[in-house]
Amino acid sequence: MTSARTTTVAAARRYTVTDSPYGPLTLVATDGVLAGLYMTGQRHRPPEETFGTPDPGLFDETIQQLDAYFAGELREFDLPLDLDGTPFQRTVWAELQRIPYGETRSYGELAEILGKPGASRAVGLANGKNPVGIIVPCHRVIGASGSLTGYGGGLDRKQRLLAFENGTEDTTPALF
C-alpha cells in the first residue's frame, strides 16, 4: 500500500528596513512580492525571525513609490502585493485600497459597502491585521463619529498620515 505525501516548500522571504517620516519601515517580500510593511512598535507585527534574509535590492520599486508618496508626488501605489489573510480580511483590504487619497471611511461604511451591515467590528479587526500598512491605507478608516480609533502603528502616526494627506501635517518631528 502506498500513501500520497504532500511536500510543502517554504516560500522564500526577504526583507529590508527603510527610513520614512514616520519612523523605520520594515518591508517583507514572499517569493519576491511585497507581503508586509511594518512600523516599529506596531501591533500584530510578526516576529523578526519570520522576515527571512536581508535583501535591500529587492525593494527598489517599493521604496521609490514610498519616497514619492512621502514627498507628496504619489497618491496611489502600483505594486504587486501578496496579502496573506482570510477571505474576509482580503476583501476588507481590497476595499481599503479603493479609499481615495485624503479621504476617510468609517468601519460601518466599509461594512455597508461590503454588503455586511452590522459587521463594523469584524471590519475593524480585519483592518487592524492589515499586513501592508500605508500602501494598503488602513489609516484612512475612522470611527463613526469621525474619531481616530485604533491603528496598528499608533494613533499618533494615524493622525500624522491623515494630516499629511490633507495638507495639514504638523512638521514638528515626532519620536517613533
Side-chain angles (χ1 to χ4, degrees):
M1 183 166 135
T2 62
S3 63
R5 196 170 98 162
T6 305
T7 304
T8 303
V9 177
R13 298 199 29 109
R14 306 279 187 262
Y15 78 97
T16 195
V17 178
T18 188
D19 289 327
S20 85
Y22 304 93
L25 302 175
T26 301
L27 306 174
V28 180
T30 302
D31 291 332
V33 179
L34 187 66
L37 184 155
Y38 303 105
M39 300 173 194
T40 55
Q42 180 173 333
R43 190 175 345 139
H44 305 300
R45 179 184 168 111
E48 289 191 28
E49 57 269 14
T50 66
F51 294 162
T53 57
D55 187 353
L58 180 64
F59 299 93
D60 289 345
E61 180 63 24
T62 302
I63 292 169
Q64 287 174 6
Q65 288 193 35
L66 284 166
D67 288 347
Y69 169 80
F70 295 132
E73 300 164 357
L74 180 78
R75 293 179 171 227
E76 190 173 313
F77 292 92
D78 183 21
L79 296 165
L81 301 173
D82 180 11
L83 303 176
D84 184 26
T86 67
F88 180 74
Q89 287 171 331
R90 288 192 305 270
T91 300
V92 170
W93 300 334
E95 195 57 44
L96 294 176
Q97 293 177 77
R98 291 184 185 92
I99 302 172
Y101 180 95
E103 294 185 23
T104 58
R105 300 287 182 272
S106 73
Y107 297 101
E109 287 173 317
L110 286 176
E112 288 283 338
I113 291 167
L114 295 172
K116 299 193 178 291
S120 59
R121 282 184 78 101
V123 167
L125 290 171
N127 194 53
K129 296 274 184 139
N130 171 18
V132 184
I134 301 173
I135 292 172
V136 176
C138 52
H139 61 278
R140 295 179 188 157
V141 184
I142 57 173
S145 67
S147 61
L148 299 185
T149 59
Y151 185 61
L155 287 180
D156 53 339
R157 283 191 184 111
K158 181 174 189 165
Q159 182 175 24
R160 288 188 66 217
L161 283 163
L162 290 172
F164 165 70
E165 289 188 2
N166 287 311
T168 60
E169 181 179 27
D170 178 2
T171 57
T172 306
L175 301 175
F176 295 109

